[in-house]
């Protein structure tokens, strides 16, 4: 897709307050959920983001797909954690 957002070479998709980082065709993706925000001028800025590294295997129960979880205070910190986890796990399973 020409309009697909990417971060450090991986797709980034948004559905409401949830972002999916990575490709669902890979063995892992990261789900980022904005838990709380604050107003900065006219913008809602994340102040708490839940990060979950998940397996993409649909044959595994949803709760059993979660590999790692964490929380960060900014979207930037959450994206850096997501990228570190995703890169590490994709490389280990290449």
């Amino acid at each position: 897709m020409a309009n697909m957002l990417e971060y450090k070479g991986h797709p980034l998709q948004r559905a409401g307050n949830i972002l999916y980082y990575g490709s669902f065709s890979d063995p892992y993706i990261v789900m980022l959920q904005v838990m709380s925000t604050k107003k900065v001028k006219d913008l809602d800025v994340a102040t708490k983001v839940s990060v979950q590294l998940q397996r993409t295997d649909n044959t595994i129960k949803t709760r059993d797909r979660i590999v790692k979880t964490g929380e960060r205070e900014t979207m930037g910190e959450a994206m850096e954690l997501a990228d570190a986890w995703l890169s590490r796990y994709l490389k280990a399973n290449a």
Side-chain angles (χ1 to χ4, degrees), residues 74-85:
T74 68
M75 185 55 75
E77 291 171 354
M79 288 302 301
E80 288 299 312
L81 179 61
D83 185 60
W85 284 354

Side-chain angles (χ1 to χ4, degrees), residues 6-25:
E6 283 191 3
Y7 180 73
K8 295 189 177 185
H10 297 286
L12 187 62
Q13 299 175 40
R14 180 179 175 200
N17 66 337
I18 297 177
L19 289 100
Y20 294 97
Y21 179 55
S23 174
F24 282 90
S25 62

Side-chain angles (χ1 to χ4, degrees), residues 3-62:
N3 293 336
M4 175 71 72
L5 291 176
E6 283 191 3
Y7 180 73
K8 295 189 177 185
H10 297 286
L12 187 62
Q13 299 175 40
R14 180 179 175 200
N17 66 337
I18 297 177
L19 289 100
Y20 294 97
Y21 179 55
S23 174
F24 282 90
S25 62
D26 288 334
Y28 297 92
I29 54 115
V30 179
M31 183 184 82
L32 301 104
Q33 183 174 12
V34 177
M35 305 298 284
S36 63
T37 60
K38 69 177 180 181
K39 280 281 191 198
V40 175
K41 298 187 181 180
D42 291 336
L43 235 50
D44 287 327
V45 176
T47 56
K48 185 176 176 184
V49 182
S50 169
V51 184
Q52 288 185 352
L53 178 70
Q54 299 180 353
R55 291 180 180 88
T56 56
D57 185 346
N58 288 333
T59 64
I60 301 171
K61 291 180 185 176
T62 304

